[in-house]
Amino acid sequence: MYDFLFSKRPPKTGLPKFLGTLGTIRVDYQIDFGSFRDIQRHRAITQRMPLLTTELGFNQWYIENLPSEIRREIPRHLRKIKEEIAILRLPRELEQYYIPMGFNTADRFTGDLPAIVYMVEIRDSRFVHPTLQKIAHDIGQQLTNKLGIRLNVDQEPSRFDIRRGEQDIIEK
């Protein structure tokens, strides 16, 4: 019924808000806390602050991108972090402030179709941290496969682009 809205929509153009009346989408996933903080900025989707623990492990992407001589030391280093945090004998809600942002957390968000499409199109890009880009890409694949929606996303999302490091939020 609304195929023309997806097929004719130019890049960088949001979907009409009335499509939000079609219902909401819930997404459950795991991500490192640093990338969670990035996705948390999307005000059009609803999500709760997760409790960060060490139970879901340290995100593999960070480990895989370290030099091999450092990578070998990671298990010992992560064990030491957990031990030092345990020594503090803090409630879990306070412990999380000592846990490195590379640890995984479980997250869930909900949003209507325009909100989810916007989040995917913004975050499925080579200019986004790879752990978040992969989540956005996976959500986009589900939207395309299950709903037949054509998305305006980066066709080479995992290609490294040096301009990613030049992006910043500045006052104009």
Side-chain angles (χ1 to χ4, degrees), residues 20-165:
T21 62
L22 297 175
T24 58
I25 298 169
R26 185 180 100 185
V27 179
D28 296 273
Y29 62 100
Q30 287 184 16
I31 195 167
D32 61 283
F33 190 72
S35 287
F36 161 79
R37 294 294 305 224
D38 194 12
I39 203 169
Q40 182 187 32
R41 297 185 337 213
H42 286 275
R43 300 297 182 223
I45 59 176
T46 302
Q47 61 186 331
R48 295 177 66 179
M49 178 65 82
L51 178 67
L52 180 60
T53 69
T54 60
E55 292 166 12
L56 296 176
F58 199 75
N59 192 285
Q60 216 37 52
W61 180 88
Y62 296 98
I63 295 169
E64 291 166 0
N65 283 281
L66 290 170
S68 59
E69 60 274 4
I70 294 173
R71 199 176 314 137
R72 286 189 290 272
E73 298 295 320
I74 291 297
R76 186 181 61 77
H77 184 67
L78 293 176
R79 231 180 355 267
K80 179 79 169 154
I81 288 171
K82 291 176 188 180
E83 290 167 3
E84 293 293 324
I85 291 172
I87 289 170
L88 298 173
R89 303 178 58 94
L90 296 169
R92 289 170 60 116
E93 295 79 15
L94 295 179
E95 271 185 0
Q96 68 184 337
Y97 292 101
Y98 296 92
I99 298 172
M101 293 177 80
F103 273 91
N104 289 315
T105 188
D107 191 31
R108 167 188 297 156
F109 66 76
T110 58
D112 61 24
L113 186 61
I116 301 292
V117 166
Y118 173 77
M119 188 281 301
V120 166
E121 289 183 344
I122 293 295
R123 299 297 178 210
D124 189 1
S125 159
R126 71 185 80 139
F127 302 111
V128 173
H129 192 279
T131 58
L132 177 52
Q133 185 276 324
K134 181 183 180 336
I135 296 292
H137 185 76
D138 292 347
I139 296 167
Q141 290 291 94
Q142 291 293 317
L143 291 173
T144 299
N145 295 340
K146 294 192 188 279
L147 301 177
I149 297 172
R150 184 183 67 80
L151 299 171
N152 294 318
V153 294
D154 193 341
Q155 297 305 311
E156 298 180 75
S158 57
R159 180 172 69 89
F160 180 75
D161 194 313
I162 193 71
R163 292 176 295 173
R164 180 175 182 266

